């Protein structure tokens, strides 16, 4: 019988059998390595793998990692996770200190000297008293280590130890430690293919967003004037719906009326008019100079301006004439407006992604984004990305971040899980979520656990907007003003990134009609008179301050839900290193609720520990186990506790 | 800015953008496709993928599959699984009709006509009454379909429909069905890489094993004589511990004594003497002609002979002289016996897998297996495979099955999960399990759910031995004879493959000492006088008969555990097509137990359904919901029920 080759198994040479150590299920790994995992500058990335070998040898493993653009590999030791079932799961960690794509892998080998050392230990413990054979083996291993050590003191010590090896010397931990410095990695196993961690700036994970329509704030100059107060309130990102010229053909009127009145300003998402398209500014809002000044003021205050990127055109957009081939046409040559029967969007045209001129279309869209990047924009909220091709997003985000890696993309997709997840996988830095519709304790628990612990945490960064111009939830409609604080506190403490659309702080909660999530007199179709004087803003400011003070609130995967013995109370703890925050929220806006928060032993706190309420200032002694809680809305919707010295 | 290429995204041409339909998480897929999934001839393989596209288009998908050695692709339709969360999971099925490696993939495309048809339906429902634009589009789609249909009646019908298209005609389901026959697969997406299903003969999944030491049955001729009765009892595989010459140097005596007495026969696993090695037969057991005759008789009775493959050598094995380079040596040149301190195995030598002569060693071991394959052996129980390199097993099993695909390999590894799982992944057809140590209701439920529903079912086929020469569990020691029936029934009904080591049917349960799982006067070190007259054999025979009659018991992934409201009762149902088996077992060997079996709606049975107990013959009317059960050991340890016509 003729033997087939083993190259399909693993790399091998005729002198050396294929590597025997198995490396399985490396993590983080997204879709078998098809997409990168995500991290932020300054993060410690924990990497894992299942590592094992036939027999009983002692293994060593390292995580190998490489910074973006570097050829140099670094190594971090990996160790068994003792708590893991069966003990074959290993963990290593390394810190990512620059933006871009970091590469990592695993290397593992057999430690022959440590294996020999362990056998001697066990034989001595078992009472064996004749070791001449064993010592002759140990001497060979020590001499091999001496060769690897080269010349110098270590080599001399290893050679001397080999020359005079006794059982006592064999048990010497210092000799063991010395050999570890000169490992023999012959026959080492490595991961089949290295994996990627894509590293963003920290704001991709952690930030407070505020959304406003500039036309309700006096245009770009008015926005610029509001920025210092927004910074004072602790906001990190200021998101503006489209600022471009708005079409007049088929313009929508107030409350989405099919006919606009003569003074109706139209929806900002009906982009484009004779005055320009996606790279122009609506004349009523200001000039490009005003825009640049606003961006500069924002930057001075540490705030990012986030623009809307909505790939659709009003009937008056210049592209319809310049590039009719980019749009859907009927056989008679007329262009088709957007529709998803029975819904019709007569004021916008979608692009035709199947156009033979698709490369030019992709380029033009990339140029739009780069135009605003060139004007200092480092964040984009992308409108309905789930109705555009995934390969386009993967390409576009890659293109933009290759030039300006600071750029953050937020996916505004409210659709099925698979699409929302894959938008994050292909490159979106952040994503909207189902948070607005998760109101009961079990819904919130299940959903946040899915985001934090199902594997999604490796690539999907939630942005918990409490409302949007399209989403006024029933909970807010029916709960009235007392419903706003708990939702705000949940968003700000559950998710590292959260957001508010202006009006929330005024308790705006009247729908256009019963059963609708649209606002009455929606700002999408008319101009409001807005300013930062809502009664909820002090709480917003305090929450943003707490979030900045507490690293525990700047992460997602560290959340643990706590038993409350009352479904109207939801409780959770977050710990990051020594920082611990414990939240208990009354999600019943109408009634006081009593219950407990059960602190688990695994949180690592002492049996009794003092806490302070960061909202109210009270101090309590809490304990491992049950802690009584009573929360009375609207005066006291939640505890946000942290541990303090006694 | 210069655009980078999109080839890294997906295949594309300048005229056509990258495919927009996403295919994710195909299943079954083992370790990202590194290893094949398993199936058996005659199985219907269910394949899955998450399939979705941006926007709202209607998609079609097929599973493409190819038989081993064939170039021809077949297609099976895939459909959405309605019950799946979000509805993006699709399923297809195909039947595997030959042994070997089947290849499969997924192809998916947009159905433009069905999308158009659906939009017309929704517009009509919404009251739209002007369709000239829509009909002009539909006509184009129909004419395209006519071109794909070529010449003939279908093409003529499509052209005629295009020429006279009305809204009524557009809604015609027959016209829709006609277009489906000529799909436009332009821009179709396919799986990045096809996946493999490795197909064995059905016995790899389903069979009853019996283990006996031939020397206790009068050698190979005695075994041959027992075969008809074993066949009568419904056994499918007869497994023999090593039948090779046994070494005399350092031979173990009775009860594993370090010194053998003059008449002690030694352990069959101390393989090799002057009379030969792994390809020889112990002279006391018979000749190669006796062996061939035994195999022939077994084959006549539909029984497989399974040999033990134990890669270790007694000090007297010919290889130690012929190939000293294959063994571990001390620096002084002496060979090292096997040890795992403080355990020592002075009667055996392990091979040195790191020998520079490893290719010759691998070949020699392959030749041993092929020697027995040439003598008609089609099953091997491999001793301690977890102490030998995984690449060796992947190579060896591939080599043997390339020549004789009927060959079944059972992994006797009792070690940590990762190694046991990977032995199955690299090619072992079946595996021993932790079943013997899973005795309580929660332990059995958790463990069987892990085997059946965690993904392991794609590649890991359990063999539930109730005992082995090394494993006499505390449950059997302390439970006494009444403990044997429930364990037998659990093994035979939970796992498609199960096994008995001879003596079990005699209720043998005395350990060598308290706290040990070794038998007193173990057959490993002495010769017994065995015959098939144990009091448990009638139950064994009946269970094997039931197993053959009921396809539900021939599968693993179809098990559903049932609520019993009593932890001493475990209940489960298995359904395969119309065949339903419901088991309730009293796992308390000492006391009668009462409880219920709660039949869930999801099992698909009528509200009330008659059942018959296949062990006792009684008939009951059972129902969806709670059914009272009382089981009194030893007379009645279990119900094994099946549905019957009223």
């Amino acid at each position: 019988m003729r033997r087939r080759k083993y190259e399909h198994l693993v790399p091998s040479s005729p002198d050396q059998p294929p590597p025997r150590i198995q490396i399985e299920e490396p993590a983080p790994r997204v879709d078998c390595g098809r997409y990168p995992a995500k991290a932020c500058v300054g993060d410690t990335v924990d990497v894992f793998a299942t590592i094992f070998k036939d027999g009983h040898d002692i293994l060593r493993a390292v995580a190998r990692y490489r910074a973006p653009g570097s050829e140099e590999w670094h190594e971090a030791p990996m160790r068994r996770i003792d708590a893991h079932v069966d003990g074959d799961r290993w963990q290593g960690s390394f810190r990512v200190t620059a933006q871009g794509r970091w590469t990592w892998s695993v290397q593992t080998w057999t430690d022959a000297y440590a294996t020999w050392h362990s056998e001697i230990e066990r034989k001595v413990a078992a009472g064996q008293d004749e070791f001449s054979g064993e010592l002759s083996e140990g001497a060979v291993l020590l001499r091999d280590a001496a060769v690897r050590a080269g010349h110098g003191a270590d080599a001399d010590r290893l050679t001397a130890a080999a020359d005079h090896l006794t059982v006592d010397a064999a048990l010497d931990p210092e000799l063991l430690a010395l050999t570890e410095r000169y490992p023999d990695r012959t026959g080492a196993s490595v991961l089949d293919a290295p994996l990627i961690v894509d590293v963003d700036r920290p704001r991709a994970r952690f930030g407070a967003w505020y959304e406003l329509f500039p036309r309700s704030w006096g245009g770009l100059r008015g926005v610029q004037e509001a920025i210092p107060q927004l910074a004072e309130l602790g906001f990190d990102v200021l998101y503006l719906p489209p600022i471009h010229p708005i079409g007049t053909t088929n313009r929508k009127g107030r409350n989405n009326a099919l006919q606009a009145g003569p003074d109706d300003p139209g929806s900002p998402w009906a982009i484009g008019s004779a005055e320009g398209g996606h790279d122009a500014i609506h004349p009523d809002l200001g000039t490009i100079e005003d825009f640049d000044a606003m961006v500069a003021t924002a930057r001075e205050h540490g705030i990012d301006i986030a623009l809307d990127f909505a790939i659709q055109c009003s009937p008056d957009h210049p592209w319809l004439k310049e590039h009719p081939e980019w749009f859907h046409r009927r056989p008679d040559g007329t262009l088709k407006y957007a529709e998803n029967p029975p819904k019709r969007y007569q004021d916008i045209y979608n692009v035709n992604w199947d156009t033979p001129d698709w490369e030019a279309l992709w380029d033009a869209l990339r140029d739009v984004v780069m135009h605003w990047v060139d004007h200092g924009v480092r964040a984009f909220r992308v409108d309905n990305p789930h109705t555009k091709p995934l390969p386009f997003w993967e390409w576009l985000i890659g293109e933009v971040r290759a030039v300006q890696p600071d750029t953050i993309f937020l996916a505004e997709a409210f659709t099925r899980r698979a699409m929302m997840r894959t938008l994050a996988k292909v490159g979106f830095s952040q994503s909207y979520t189902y948070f607005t519709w998760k109101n009961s304790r079990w819904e919130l628990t299940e959903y946040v656990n899915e985001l934090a612990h199902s594997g999604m945490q490796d690539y999907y960064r939630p942005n918990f907007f409490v409302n949007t111009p399209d989403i006024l939830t029933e909970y807010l409609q029916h709960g009235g003003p007392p419903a706003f604080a708990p939702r705000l506190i949940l968003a700000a403490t559950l998710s590292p990134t959260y957001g508010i659309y202006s009006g929330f702080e005024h308790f705006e909660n009247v729908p256009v009609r019963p059963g609708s999530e649209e606002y009455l007199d929606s700002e999408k179709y008319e101009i409001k008179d807005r300013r930062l004087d809502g009664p909820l803003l002090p709480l917003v400011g305090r929450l943003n301050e707490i979030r900045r003070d507490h690293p525990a609130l700047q992460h997602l995967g560290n959340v643990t839900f706590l038993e409350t013995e009352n479904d109207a109370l939801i409780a959770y703890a977050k710990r990051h290193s020594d920082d611990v925050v414990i939240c208990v929220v009354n999600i019943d806006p109408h009634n006081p609720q009593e219950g407990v928060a059960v602190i688990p032993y695994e949180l690592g706190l002492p049996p009794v520990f003092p806490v302070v309420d960061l909202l109210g200032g009270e101090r309590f002694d809490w304990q491992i186990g049950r802690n009584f809680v009573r929360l009375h809305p609207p005066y006291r919707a939640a505890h946000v506790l942290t541990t303090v010295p006694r």
Side-chain angles (χ1 to χ4, degrees), chain A:
Chain A
M1 193 170 97
R2 214 174 122 51
R3 188 172 65 254
R4 288 174 296 156
K5 290 289 181 191
Y6 355 83
E7 274 76 34
H8 72 287
L9 297 178
V10 264
S12 68
S13 74
D15 295 342
Q16 203 179 302
R20 287 159 70 176
I21 311 179
Q22 195 80 0
I23 307 174
E24 295 185 353
E25 295 181 42
R29 179 176 61 174
V30 181
D31 281 17
C32 296
R34 166 68 180 81
Y35 303 104
K38 292 193 175 87
C40 290
V41 172
D43 282 356
T44 296
V45 177
D46 294 324
V47 297
F48 302 85
T50 299
I51 297 174
F52 58 97
K53 181 188 178 183
D54 57 281
H56 308 280
D57 290 341
I58 291 178
L59 307 182
R60 305 293 175 206
V62 291
R64 290 165 59 75
Y65 59 100
R66 204 168 63 177
S70 165
E71 294 295 309
E72 189 185 357
W73 287 96
H74 300 268
E75 292 187 350
M78 296 185 77
R79 301 188 202 289
R80 278 177 209 280
I81 308 173
D82 290 332
H84 187 267
V85 60
D86 292 351
D88 286 325
R89 194 78 176 153
W90 294 56
Q91 176 178 5
S93 302
F94 55 90
R95 197 147 171 277
V96 287
T97 52
Q99 289 182 160
R101 297 192 158 220
W102 291 63
T103 307
W104 70 278
S105 181
V106 174
Q107 189 184 70
T108 171
W109 62 92
T110 305
D111 188 332
Y113 184 83
T115 302
W116 176 85
H117 176 271
S118 159
E119 288 182 5
I120 298 289
E121 277 189 331
R122 284 179 281 155
K123 287 175 178 179
V124 168
Q128 181 174 328
D129 54 7
E130 208 288 309
F131 284 94
S132 58
E134 284 81 354
L135 293 174
S136 71
E137 293 176 294
V140 170
L141 293 170
L142 288 168
R143 280 197 190 92
D144 289 348
V147 170
R148 290 190 296 275
H151 297 288
D154 285 351
D156 293 346
R157 284 180 59 201
L158 289 162
T159 304
D163 290 345
H164 308 285
L165 193 57
T166 64
V167 172
D168 284 348
L171 296 180
D172 178 10
E174 283 187 29
L175 183 57
L176 177 63
L178 182 59
T179 63
E180 305 273 305
R181 277 183 235 156
Y182 306 100
D184 175 13
R185 298 194 185 180
T186 309
S189 293
V190 295
L191 262 192
D192 291 347
L195 291 165
I196 304 294
V197 177
D198 199 349
V199 176
D200 290 285
R201 59 183 170 129
R203 191 157 287 173
R205 184 189 64 235
F206 173 65
W209 289 51
Y210 190 79
E211 172 177 1
L212 60 79
F213 286 70
R215 65 189 184 188
S216 298
W217 296 70
L220 299 177
R221 290 199 183 182
V223 173
Q224 185 179 354
E225 284 163 21
I227 284 172
Q229 197 185 344
L230 286 166
E232 188 74 23
L233 286 165
F235 285 106
D236 303 295
V237 183
L238 174 56
Y239 152 50
L240 312 180
I243 58 170
H244 316 301
I246 297 173
T248 49
T249 306
N250 294 329
R251 173 177 286 189
K252 294 289 179 79
R254 290 172 184 243
N255 287 311
N256 202 21
L258 275 179
Q259 298 288 337
D263 297 330
D264 283 346
S267 161
W269 283 274
I271 296 170
S273 77
E275 285 145 331
H278 284 76
D279 51 5
I281 293 175
H282 195 300
D284 292 351
L285 297 180
T287 64
I288 189 70
E289 289 74 24
D290 295 332
F291 184 85
D292 292 341
M294 176 187 70
V295 169
T297 299
R299 184 161 294 166
E300 282 163 26
H301 288 84
I303 284 183
D304 272 291
I305 296 293
L307 285 194
D308 199 296
F309 184 47
I311 303 177
Q312 58 216 10
C313 298
S314 93
D316 311 310
H317 194 293
W319 281 355
L320 272 79
K321 282 185 191 145
E322 295 165 12
H323 299 285
E325 68 280 10
W326 291 353
F327 297 86
H328 293 277
R329 288 206 265 186
R330 289 259 157 72
D332 63 5
T334 58
L335 294 177
K336 281 179 71 174
Y337 56 75
E339 59 179 349
N340 180 23
K343 294 191 206 158
R344 299 164 167 208
Y345 307 94
Q346 295 93 336
D347 59 341
I348 50 172
Y349 288 77
N350 284 327
V351 301
N352 175 12
W353 296 100
D354 293 323
T355 174
D357 199 34
W358 64 277
E359 286 192 302
L361 171 63
W362 286 28
D363 284 355
L365 292 167
R366 189 262 331 274
D367 291 346
V368 164
V369 174
M370 286 309 301
H371 171 78
W372 296 110
V373 167
D374 290 343
H375 282 276
V377 175
R378 295 290 178 271
F380 293 89
R381 175 269 198 196
V382 177
D383 191 72
N384 282 329
H386 57 294
T387 58
K388 286 88 188 171
L390 289 159
F392 168 73
W393 293 124
E394 187 169 10
W395 170 82
L396 177 89
I397 295 172
E399 292 286 271
V400 174
R401 291 194 59 226
V403 176
Q404 183 42 266
D406 275 353
T407 317
I408 289 169
F409 290 86
L410 164 62
E412 189 252 356
F414 295 101
T415 182
R416 299 196 297 262
R417 273 173 175 73
M419 174 56 85
M420 288 177 72
R421 290 178 178 176
T422 300
L423 287 164
K425 292 176 195 171
V426 304
F428 278 91
S429 334
Q430 297 187 354
S431 307
Y432 282 74
T433 71
Y434 305 149
F435 168 70
T436 39
W437 302 289
K438 302 294 181 183
N439 294 296
S440 72
R441 179 180 169 211
W442 78 265
E443 284 174 320
L444 283 162
T445 305
E446 181 185 65
Y447 186 57
V448 174
N449 276 331
E450 177 183 325
L451 294 172
H453 302 305
S454 73
M456 282 179 78
Q457 71 276 10
D458 290 337
Y459 61 87
Y460 192 99
R461 299 196 190 101
N463 187 332
F464 276 10
F465 261 87
V466 289
N467 67 331
T468 80
D470 302 312
I471 307 174
L472 167 65
T473 63
E474 293 205 345
Y475 184 87
L476 297 177
Q477 294 177 29
H478 301 314
F484 283 64
R487 293 299 298 177
L488 176 69
I489 296 166
L490 287 168
T493 58
L494 279 170
S495 179
T497 293
Y498 83 108
I500 292 170
Y501 154 56
S502 98
F504 185 86
E505 67 270 29
H506 289 282
F507 307 127
E508 290 184 1
N509 74 335
V510 183
V512 66
R513 60 181 176 277
S516 170
E517 291 195 334
E518 291 283 339
Y519 283 89
L520 177 66
D521 302 328
S522 168
E523 198 172 2
K524 290 190 286 188
Y525 311 106
E526 58 192 83
I527 297 175
K528 305 277 186 185
D529 182 14
R530 296 277 200 192
R531 63 202 69 205
L532 284 167
D533 56 3
L536 205 53
L537 287 180
L539 178 60
V540 169
R542 178 62 187 139
L543 283 167
N544 285 340
E545 191 175 38
I546 294 168
R547 287 162 43 85
R548 289 186 182 174
D549 288 345
H550 288 277
L553 296 177
Q554 299 168 17
H555 293 267
L556 174 70
N558 59 342
V559 66
T560 305
F561 285 91
L562 311 178
E563 179 55 55
T564 59
E565 300 180 5
N566 177 346
D567 278 345
L569 296 177
I570 185 165
Y572 41 94
K574 287 186 162 192
R575 177 168 196 152
H576 185 81
S577 162
D578 285 340
D579 184 44
V580 178
V581 176
I582 301 162
C583 300
V584 191
V585 183
N586 180 357
I587 52 182
D588 173 358
H590 304 299
N591 303 294
Q593 294 284 349
E594 292 181 357
V596 295
V598 179
I599 302 294
Y601 171 80
E602 290 72 17
L603 207 57
L605 292 168
V608 177
F609 51 94
V611 294
V612 62
D613 190 318
L614 295 165
L615 294 177
E618 305 92 331
R619 285 173 177 255
F620 308 97
D621 268 350
W622 273 38
Q623 60 185 14
I624 305 290
R626 297 165 84 251
N627 297 277
F628 176 78
V629 176
R630 177 186 166 87
L631 292 167
H632 195 150
Y635 319 105
R636 172 49 60 92
H639 287 308
V640 177
L641 307 170
T642 192
T643 53
V644 285
R646 185 167 293 278

